[in-house]
Amino acid sequence: MASSKYLCLILVLATLALTDSKLQLGEPQETSITYYIQDYSYGPNATLIPITGVSSDGDWAFHRFGTIFCTDDPITEGLDASSTPVGRAQGIYVTSALDGSNTHVLISLVFTNEEYKGSTLEIQGASPQFERVREVSVVSGTGKFRFARGYATFETVYLDMAAAYSVIECNITMLHY
Ligand SMILES: *[C@@H]1O[C@H](CO)[C@@H](O)[C@H](O)[C@H]1NC(C)=O
Ligand SMILES: *[C@@H]1O[C@H](CO)[C@@H](O)[C@H](O)[C@H]1NC(C)=O
């Protein structure tokens, strides 16, 4: 009898603890943001470089299965590279489809702007890299984006092939606490 009383007490306390942590989190809020990723994939100031899967002559290609790129692209508020900096898109891309059509995106958006400084978002997914619009997941975040989940679309809105420079419009819709 005594032990079942204790069990009841433990259950009540456990329930209280759970309710308490729920109260601390509050209600999830939805946030949508649009930023621009400035990508330089060639030359001494490249912000995206191939790190494996490069052929012996130093040649590489986005569509070559197994190629892994490391990136540290600037993120800006506007399309123009000289517009207000927001942060950096840091991580890796792996050409993960045998036919080169998909790249696996694994990047953190590391914010440095006034609004989100110190917060990050984790973005991951199979990106159909040659489609006009690519959609991948927002799997988590830190700081203001704790427990974030949602999705991100990427659309190349400017491309200068000769300079290997492109601007990618990134829309993120997510729930977070
Ligand atoms: C690379 O960056 C340096 C320093 O900002 C700059 O002086 C140089 O012109 C840049 N080179 C190219 C090819 O953009
Ligand atoms: C991204 O957001 C911008 C600004 O709201 C909008 O013009 C654009 O159509 C959106 N892109 C996609 C792929 O949804």
Side-chain angles (χ1 to χ4, degrees):
M1 255 339 203
S3 70
S4 75
K5 257 187 201 155
Y6 277 123
L7 190 61
C8 271
L9 186 63
I10 287 166
L11 281 176
V12 167
L13 288 177
T15 313
L16 282 177
L18 281 176
T19 319
D20 211 36
S21 68
K22 251 186 201 152
L23 286 176
Q24 282 166 6
L25 275 178
E27 285 299 305
Q29 49 179 305
E30 187 177 320
T31 297
S32 293
I33 51 183
T34 298
Y35 289 133
Y36 295 84
I37 295 176
Q38 310 284 337
D39 187 68
Y40 305 87
S41 59
Y42 190 75
N45 298 335
T47 57
L48 176 134
I49 57 165
I51 48 176
T52 68
V54 185
S55 70
S56 54
D57 57 6
D59 204 13
W60 59 271
F62 285 108
H63 64 264
R64 187 177 293 151
F65 175 63
T67 310
I68 303 178
F69 301 88
C70 187
T71 187
D72 182 2
D73 281 346
I75 307 172
T76 55
E77 232 165 59
L79 201 151
D80 200 298
S82 61
S83 65
T84 310
V86 168
R88 313 285 298 195
Q90 299 173 337
I92 57 174
Y93 301 110
V94 183
T95 305
S96 55
L98 278 172
D99 68 0
S101 59
N102 281 342
T103 184
H104 192 78
V105 174
L106 200 58
I107 56 171
S108 303
L109 304 190
V110 181
F111 292 97
T112 54
N113 61 344
E114 209 179 307
E115 205 175 357
Y116 301 131
K117 188 178 168 61
S119 302
T120 62
L121 275 175
E122 294 306 310
I123 294 186
Q124 183 181 1
S127 168
Q129 60 171 334
F130 301 111
E131 298 288 320
R132 191 176 63 81
V133 177
R134 291 86 67 188
E135 181 174 324
V136 290
S137 302
V138 173
V139 294
S140 199
T142 64
K144 289 195 169 161
F145 301 123
R146 285 177 182 171
F147 295 108
R149 60 185 193 282
Y151 62 94
T153 59
F154 292 100
E155 182 176 357
T156 305
V157 287
Y158 180 82
L159 176 65
D160 180 340
M161 287 280 248
Y165 165 60
S166 61
V167 183
I168 298 136
E169 186 177 70
C170 173
N171 292 356
I172 293 174
T173 303
M174 64 190 148
L175 294 174
H176 61 98
Y177 289 94

